[in-house]
Every structure is written in structure tokens, then in C-alpha cells.
Amino acid sequence: MKPFARLLSGLALMCMTSLGAAQGYPDKPIRLIVPFPPGGGTDVLAREAAIKVAGNTGWNIVTENRPGSGGNIGVDAVAKSAPDGYSLVLGQTSNLAINPTLYAKLPYDPEKDLTAIGLVADAPLVIVVPANSPLKTFEDMIAAAKAKPGALNFASSGNGTVAHLAAVQLQNAAGIQLTHIPYKGAAQASNDLIGGQIDMYLSSVPTLIGHVRNGKMRALAVTSAQRVPDMPDVPTIAERGFPGFEAVTWFGLAAPAGTPKDIVQRLNAEFNKALQTPELRVKYQEQGARVLTDTPEAFAKLIHDDRIRWGKIVKDSGAKVE
């Protein structure tokens, strides 16, 4: 066979293989990795989306928690998996856009080792204190921090997370000093806050809204530009004297680099379809999150752009994890 004919034959075989894989996909369970412990905001959003997609399609989607190292362990597990569409991760701003600058040695490159599938949601952060805290308002917190620099502490889900960096921005804007206590998961931080071991906690609204509703925590402010519909009495930081202040975390699906485009497109279409249903939108809103849908290309651009944006904030803050 002549070289040109061999080339055409090879290309045809590749196309047929890809098409065949897509047509038979999925023929086994899809693993959706949540790179954080159970019960946190990422976990809730992942499970709700997986349940809806499975109900629409009949697919078997198994949600698996792989926490650790600021989400890096779970993301890396997917980055190193076979690019066949059976391993997905619900990443977020921290492990897809911030950690490449924060960590001296990150085991994966979000832009080179992963394929973006699409956005799922975004959510602001909320500053909470124990229900019995003497800090009744956001202004009380600022006043206390100015009176005794460094005396007030705040928890986050880790060094260099959106919550940590948002607190750094607030400290710079308000001229205050807080002591940062990084945690590995929402459950322990929440327990310690409720128990009075820590003064404040910054995390996503989906992570903490349940505790606010049941009266175990008091919300002082949210970091979005507008108030959260399901927390209408909680002011924004912007309206409390810091105009333009905004910090949100987004959540999006990714697969290993090299996953066939037709499988990526099918995953994108099915998750977008599920996310656009009124029932899932309501469930996300009840968790303080806003449903987002997008193309794989647009999500890839967001990862790239936010990597530059947050990278500058990480460098300016001096935060680093070895």
C-alpha cells in the first residue's frame, strides 16, 4: 500500500474507532471524583448533578470523595486516569486556577493534563461566626479586628483557597489583621466553629447555608456583588463600605487530557440539560449556588484567565505551599 493510502486508511480507522467509542458510551459506570470530603459544597453540587444526569440518561454515575492537599489529590487522580470518559472530576477555582501558582510542585497542570467539559455553578463565600458570638454584625467584626490586630482568627479550607485569598483582600482593604487557620475539610472547621474553638469561618455558601438556617452559625456578610436570594438578610461586603469587593468560587467538570471530543461534547450536553431543569436550579439555589452552563471551550478559557488573575493575588499575598 502506498504511503498516502496508508495515511488515509489510518485516519479512517481513527475516526471509526472514535465514533464507535462514542456510540457505545457509556457501557460501564462513570466515576465522578469530588476532591473534598463528604458534606461540603462541592460534594453537594456534584451529587445533585450526578443524580439528575443519571435519572435523565440511565447512566450509572458513581460519586467518589478523594480529599486532600487542597483538592490536588482528587484532581490528580483524574488527570492520570485513562482518557476514555469514565473518570471525571468536579474541580473548582482553587484546584484548577489557584493551586498552579500556590503549590511549588503541583503534580498536574490543569490546562495540559485535563480536558474541560463545562461549568456547573458558582457561589459566593460567606463569613460566619458561632451563634453565641459577641460579633453580631460585619461592622462588629471589623471594629474588633482593628481594636486588637491578629486577635481574631478565621478558618478556611486551606492555604491559597478562594476563601483564604478573599480574606487577604478584605484585610488589605479594611486595614485589619486576622489570623488564618487552614483546615482540610468543611466538617471539622464547622464543628470547631460551632464549638467555639475558632472565631470565624469563610467558605462557600453551599457549604455553610445549612448551619446558618438551623441557627448554629450567624452569617455576617457574603462576598458576591449582590445579596444571595436564599439569604436575603445577609449584606454584601461591598454594601458595607467596600464597593467593588467580590469573590466567588466556580465549580466545573473536567476529564483527563485526550478524552475524545465527541465524548466530551456528550457529557457537556447531558450535564447542561440536567442543570437547566427547574428542579436542579431550585436545589442549587437552596444551597446558595447559581447554576452555570457553558461550552468546553469557554470553560477552558475561564480556567486560563482565572489562573492569571488569581496567580497575581497569590504572589502579592506571599502565600506558598511546598
Coordinates of all heavy atoms in Angstrom, one line a residue, residues 232-289:
P232 N -31.4 36.6 52.1 CA -31.7 38.0 51.7 C -31.3 39.0 52.8 O -31.1 40.2 52.5 CB -33.2 38.0 51.4 CG -33.7 36.8 52.2 CD -32.7 35.8 52.2
D233 N -31.3 38.5 54.1 CA -31.0 39.4 55.2 C -29.5 39.6 55.4 O -29.1 40.4 56.3 CB -31.6 38.9 56.5 CG -33.1 38.9 56.4 OD1 -33.7 39.8 55.6 OD2 -33.8 38.1 57.0
V234 N -28.7 38.8 54.7 CA -27.2 38.9 54.9 C -26.6 39.9 53.9 O -26.8 39.8 52.7 CB -26.5 37.5 54.7 CG1 -25.0 37.6 54.9 CG2 -27.2 36.5 55.6
P235 N -26.0 41.0 54.4 CA -25.4 42.0 53.5 C -24.2 41.5 52.7 O -23.5 40.6 53.1 CB -25.1 43.1 54.4 CG -24.7 42.4 55.7 CD -25.7 41.3 55.8
T236 N -23.9 42.2 51.7 CA -22.6 42.0 50.9 C -21.5 42.9 51.6 O -21.8 43.9 52.2 CB -22.7 42.4 49.5 OG1 -22.9 43.8 49.3 CG2 -23.9 41.7 48.8
I237 N -20.3 42.4 51.4 CA -19.2 43.2 51.9 C -19.1 44.6 51.1 O -18.8 45.6 51.7 CB -17.8 42.4 51.7 CG1 -17.8 41.2 52.7 CG2 -16.6 43.3 51.9 CD1 -16.6 40.4 52.5
A238 N -19.5 44.5 49.9 CA -19.5 45.7 49.0 C -20.4 46.8 49.6 O -20.0 48.0 49.6 CB -19.9 45.4 47.6
E239 N -21.6 46.4 50.1 CA -22.5 47.4 50.6 C -22.2 47.8 52.0 O -22.8 48.7 52.5 CB -23.9 46.9 50.5 CG -24.3 45.8 51.4 CD -25.7 45.2 51.2 OE1 -25.9 44.4 50.3 OE2 -26.5 45.5 52.1
R240 N -21.2 47.2 52.6 CA -20.8 47.6 54.0 C -19.5 48.4 54.0 O -18.7 48.3 54.9 CB -20.7 46.3 54.8 CG -22.0 45.7 55.3 CD -22.8 46.7 56.1 NE -24.0 46.2 56.7 CZ -25.2 46.4 56.2 NH1 -25.4 47.1 55.1 NH2 -26.3 45.9 56.8
G241 N -19.3 49.2 52.9 CA -18.2 50.1 52.9 C -17.0 49.7 52.1 O -16.0 50.4 52.1
F242 N -17.2 48.6 51.3 CA -16.1 48.2 50.4 C -16.6 48.0 49.0 O -16.7 46.9 48.5 CB -15.4 47.0 51.0 CG -14.9 47.2 52.4 CD1 -15.7 46.8 53.4 CD2 -13.7 47.7 52.6 CE1 -15.2 47.0 54.7 CE2 -13.2 47.9 53.9 CZ -14.0 47.6 55.0
P243 N -17.0 49.1 48.3 CA -17.6 49.0 47.0 C -16.6 48.3 46.0 O -15.4 48.5 46.0 CB -17.8 50.4 46.5 CG -16.9 51.2 47.4 CD -16.8 50.5 48.7
G244 N -17.2 47.4 45.2 CA -16.4 46.7 44.2 C -15.9 45.4 44.7 O -15.3 44.6 43.9
F245 N -16.0 45.1 46.0 CA -15.4 43.8 46.6 C -16.3 42.7 46.1 O -17.5 42.7 46.2 CB -15.4 43.9 48.1 CG -14.7 42.7 48.7 CD1 -13.4 42.9 49.2 CD2 -15.3 41.5 48.9 CE1 -12.7 41.8 49.7 CE2 -14.6 40.4 49.4 CZ -13.3 40.6 49.8
E246 N -15.6 41.7 45.5 CA -16.3 40.5 45.1 C -15.4 39.3 45.0 O -14.2 39.5 44.5 CB -17.0 40.7 43.7 CG -17.8 39.5 43.2 CD -18.5 39.8 41.8 OE1 -18.1 40.8 41.2 OE2 -19.4 39.0 41.5
A247 N -15.8 38.2 45.5 CA -15.0 36.9 45.4 C -16.0 35.8 45.3 O -16.7 35.6 46.3 CB -14.0 36.8 46.5
V248 N -16.0 35.0 44.2 CA -16.8 33.9 44.1 C -16.0 32.7 43.7 O -14.9 32.8 43.2 CB -18.0 34.0 43.1 CG1 -18.9 35.2 43.5 CG2 -17.4 34.3 41.7
T249 N -16.5 31.5 44.0 CA -15.8 30.3 43.6 C -16.7 29.6 42.6 O -17.9 29.5 42.8 CB -15.5 29.4 44.8 OG1 -14.7 28.2 44.3 CG2 -16.7 28.9 45.5
W250 N -16.1 29.1 41.5 CA -16.9 28.3 40.5 C -16.5 26.9 40.6 O -15.5 26.5 41.1 CB -16.7 28.9 39.1 CG -15.3 29.2 38.7 CD1 -14.7 30.5 38.5 CD2 -14.2 28.3 38.3 NE1 -13.4 30.4 38.1 CE2 -13.1 29.1 38.0 CE3 -14.1 26.9 38.2 CZ2 -11.9 28.5 37.6 CZ3 -13.0 26.3 37.8 CH2 -11.8 27.1 37.5
F251 N -17.5 26.1 40.0 CA -17.3 24.6 40.0 C -17.5 24.1 38.6 O -18.4 24.6 37.9 CB -18.4 24.0 40.9 CG -18.4 24.5 42.3 CD1 -19.2 25.7 42.6 CD2 -17.8 23.9 43.4 CE1 -19.2 26.2 43.9 CE2 -17.9 24.4 44.6 CZ -18.6 25.6 44.9
G252 N -16.6 23.3 38.1 CA -16.7 22.8 36.7 C -16.2 21.4 36.6 O -15.3 20.9 37.4
L253 N -16.7 20.7 35.6 CA -16.3 19.3 35.3 C -15.1 19.3 34.3 O -15.0 20.0 33.4 CB -17.5 18.6 34.6 CG -18.7 18.2 35.5 CD1 -19.9 17.8 34.7 CD2 -18.3 17.1 36.5
A254 N -14.2 18.3 34.6 CA -13.1 18.1 33.7 C -12.8 16.6 33.6 O -13.2 15.8 34.5 CB -11.9 18.8 34.3
A255 N -12.1 16.2 32.6 CA -11.8 14.8 32.3 C -10.3 14.8 32.0 O -9.7 15.8 31.8 CB -12.6 14.2 31.2
P256 N -9.7 13.6 31.9 CA -8.2 13.6 31.5 C -8.0 14.1 30.1 O -8.9 14.0 29.2 CB -7.9 12.1 31.5 CG -8.9 11.5 32.5 CD -10.2 12.3 32.2
A257 N -6.9 14.8 29.9 CA -6.5 15.3 28.6 C -6.5 14.1 27.6 O -6.1 13.0 27.9 CB -5.1 15.9 28.6
G258 N -7.0 14.4 26.4 CA -7.0 13.3 25.4 C -8.3 12.6 25.3 O -8.5 11.7 24.5
T259 N -9.3 12.9 26.2 CA -10.6 12.3 26.1 C -11.2 12.7 24.8 O -11.2 13.9 24.4 CB -11.5 12.8 27.3 OG1 -10.9 12.5 28.5 CG2 -12.9 12.2 27.2
P260 N -11.8 11.7 24.0 CA -12.3 12.0 22.7 C -13.3 13.2 22.7 O -14.2 13.3 23.6 CB -13.0 10.7 22.3 CG -12.2 9.7 23.1 CD -11.9 10.3 24.4
K261 N -13.2 14.1 21.7 CA -14.1 15.3 21.7 C -15.6 14.9 21.7 O -16.4 15.6 22.3 CB -13.7 16.1 20.5 CG -12.5 16.9 20.6 CD -12.3 17.8 19.5 CE -11.0 18.7 19.6 NZ -10.8 19.7 18.5
D262 N -16.0 13.8 21.0 CA -17.4 13.5 20.9 C -17.9 13.1 22.3 O -19.1 13.4 22.6 CB -17.7 12.5 19.9 CG -16.7 11.3 19.8 OD1 -15.8 11.3 20.7 OD2 -16.7 10.5 18.9
I263 N -17.1 12.4 23.1 CA -17.5 12.1 24.4 C -17.6 13.3 25.3 O -18.5 13.5 26.1 CB -16.5 11.0 25.0 CG1 -16.7 9.7 24.3 CG2 -16.7 10.9 26.6 CD1 -15.8 8.6 24.8
V264 N -16.6 14.2 25.2 CA -16.6 15.5 25.9 C -17.9 16.3 25.6 O -18.6 16.8 26.5 CB -15.4 16.3 25.6 CG1 -15.5 17.7 26.2 CG2 -14.1 15.7 26.2
Q265 N -18.2 16.3 24.3 CA -19.4 17.0 23.9 C -20.7 16.4 24.4 O -21.6 17.1 24.8 CB -19.5 17.1 22.4 CG -18.4 18.0 21.7 CD -18.6 19.5 22.1 OE1 -19.7 19.9 22.5 NE2 -17.6 20.3 21.8
R266 N -20.7 15.1 24.5 CA -21.9 14.4 25.0 C -22.1 14.6 26.5 O -23.2 14.9 27.0 CB -21.8 12.9 24.7 CG -23.1 12.2 25.1 CD -23.2 10.8 24.5 NE -24.5 10.2 24.9 CZ -24.8 9.0 24.8 NH1 -23.9 8.1 24.4 NH2 -26.0 8.5 25.1
L267 N -20.9 14.6 27.2 CA -21.0 14.8 28.7 C -21.5 16.3 28.9 O -22.3 16.5 29.8 CB -19.6 14.6 29.3 CG -19.2 13.2 29.5 CD1 -17.7 13.1 29.7 CD2 -20.0 12.5 30.6
N268 N -20.9 17.2 28.1 CA -21.3 18.6 28.2 C -22.8 18.8 28.0 O -23.5 19.4 28.8 CB -20.5 19.4 27.3 CG -20.9 20.9 27.3 OD1 -21.8 21.3 26.5 ND2 -20.3 21.7 28.1
A269 N -23.3 18.1 27.0 CA -24.7 18.3 26.6 C -25.6 17.7 27.7 O -26.6 18.3 28.1 CB -25.0 17.6 25.3
E270 N -25.3 16.5 28.2 CA -26.1 15.9 29.2 C -26.1 16.6 30.6 O -27.2 16.8 31.2 CB -25.7 14.4 29.4 CG -26.0 13.5 28.2 CD -27.4 13.4 27.9 OE1 -28.3 13.8 28.7 OE2 -27.7 12.9 26.8
F271 N -25.0 17.1 31.0 CA -24.9 17.9 32.2 C -25.6 19.2 32.0 O -26.3 19.7 33.0 CB -23.5 18.1 32.7 CG -23.0 16.9 33.5 CD1 -22.4 15.8 33.0 CD2 -23.2 16.9 34.9 CE1 -21.9 14.7 33.7 CE2 -22.8 15.8 35.7 CZ -22.2 14.8 35.1
N272 N -25.4 19.9 30.9 CA -26.1 21.2 30.6 C -27.6 21.0 30.7 O -28.4 21.8 31.2 CB -25.7 21.8 29.3 CG -24.3 22.4 29.4 OD1 -23.8 22.6 30.4 ND2 -23.8 22.8 28.2
K273 N -28.1 19.9 30.1 CA -29.5 19.6 30.0 C -30.1 19.4 31.5 O -31.1 19.9 31.8 CB -29.8 18.3 29.2 CG -31.2 17.9 29.2 CD -31.3 16.6 28.4 CE -32.8 16.1 28.4 NZ -32.9 14.8 27.6
A274 N -29.3 18.7 32.3 CA -29.7 18.5 33.7 C -29.7 19.8 34.5 O -30.7 20.1 35.2 CB -28.8 17.4 34.3
L275 N -28.7 20.6 34.3 CA -28.6 21.8 35.0 C -29.6 22.9 34.6 O -30.0 23.7 35.4 CB -27.2 22.4 34.8 CG -26.0 21.7 35.4 CD1 -24.7 22.1 34.8 CD2 -26.0 21.8 36.9
Q276 N -30.2 22.7 33.5 CA -31.2 23.7 33.0 C -32.6 23.3 33.5 O -33.5 24.1 33.2 CB -31.1 23.8 31.5 CG -29.9 24.6 31.0 CD -29.6 24.4 29.5 OE1 -30.3 23.6 28.8 NE2 -28.6 25.1 29.0
T277 N -32.7 22.2 34.1 CA -34.1 21.8 34.6 C -34.4 22.7 35.8 O -33.6 23.0 36.7 CB -34.1 20.3 35.0 OG1 -33.1 20.1 36.0 CG2 -33.9 19.5 33.8
P278 N -35.7 23.1 36.0 CA -36.1 23.9 37.1 C -35.8 23.3 38.4 O -35.4 24.0 39.4 CB -37.6 24.1 36.9 CG -37.8 23.9 35.4 CD -36.8 22.9 35.0
E279 N -36.0 22.0 38.6 CA -35.8 21.3 39.9 C -34.3 21.4 40.3 O -34.0 21.6 41.5 CB -36.3 19.9 39.9 CG -35.7 19.0 38.8 CD -36.5 18.9 37.5 OE1 -37.1 20.0 37.2 OE2 -36.6 17.9 36.9
L280 N -33.4 21.2 39.4 CA -32.0 21.3 39.8 C -31.6 22.7 40.1 O -30.8 23.0 41.0 CB -31.1 20.7 38.7 CG -29.6 20.4 39.2 CD1 -29.7 19.5 40.4 CD2 -28.9 19.7 38.1
R281 N -32.1 23.7 39.3 CA -31.8 25.1 39.6 C -32.3 25.5 41.0 O -31.6 26.2 41.7 CB -32.5 26.0 38.5 CG -31.8 26.0 37.2 CD -32.5 26.9 36.2 NE -31.8 26.9 34.9 CZ -30.8 27.7 34.6 NH1 -30.3 28.6 35.6 NH2 -30.2 27.7 33.5
V282 N -33.5 25.0 41.4 CA -34.0 25.3 42.7 C -33.1 24.7 43.8 O -32.8 25.3 44.8 CB -35.5 24.8 42.8 CG1 -35.9 24.8 44.3 CG2 -36.4 25.6 41.9
K283 N -32.7 23.4 43.5 CA -31.9 22.7 44.5 C -30.5 23.5 44.7 O -30.1 23.6 45.8 CB -31.6 21.3 44.1 CG -32.9 20.4 44.3 CD -32.6 18.9 44.0 CE -33.8 18.1 44.3 NZ -33.5 16.6 44.0
Y284 N -30.0 23.9 43.6 CA -28.7 24.7 43.7 C -29.0 26.0 44.4 O -28.1 26.4 45.3 CB -28.1 24.9 42.3 CG -27.2 23.8 41.8 CD1 -27.5 22.4 42.1 CD2 -26.1 24.0 41.1 CE1 -26.7 21.4 41.7 CE2 -25.3 23.0 40.6 CZ -25.6 21.7 40.9 OH -24.8 20.7 40.5
Q285 N -30.0 26.7 44.1 CA -30.3 28.0 44.7 C -30.5 27.8 46.2 O -30.1 28.6 47.0 CB -31.6 28.6 44.1 CG -31.9 30.0 44.7 CD -33.1 30.7 44.0 OE1 -33.1 30.6 42.8 NE2 -34.0 31.2 44.8
E286 N -31.2 26.7 46.6 CA -31.4 26.4 48.0 C -30.1 26.2 48.7 O -30.0 26.4 50.0 CB -32.3 25.2 48.2 CG -33.7 25.4 47.8 CD -34.5 24.1 47.8 OE1 -33.9 23.0 47.9 OE2 -35.8 24.2 47.8
Q287 N -29.0 25.8 48.0 CA -27.7 25.7 48.6 C -26.9 27.0 48.4 O -25.7 27.0 48.8 CB -27.0 24.5 47.9 CG -27.6 23.2 48.1 CD -27.6 22.7 49.5 OE1 -26.6 23.0 50.2 NE2 -28.6 22.1 50.0
G288 N -27.5 28.0 47.9 CA -26.8 29.3 47.8 C -25.9 29.3 46.5 O -25.0 30.2 46.4
A289 N -26.1 28.4 45.6 CA -25.3 28.4 44.4 C -26.1 28.8 43.2 O -27.3 28.7 43.2 CB -24.7 27.0 44.1

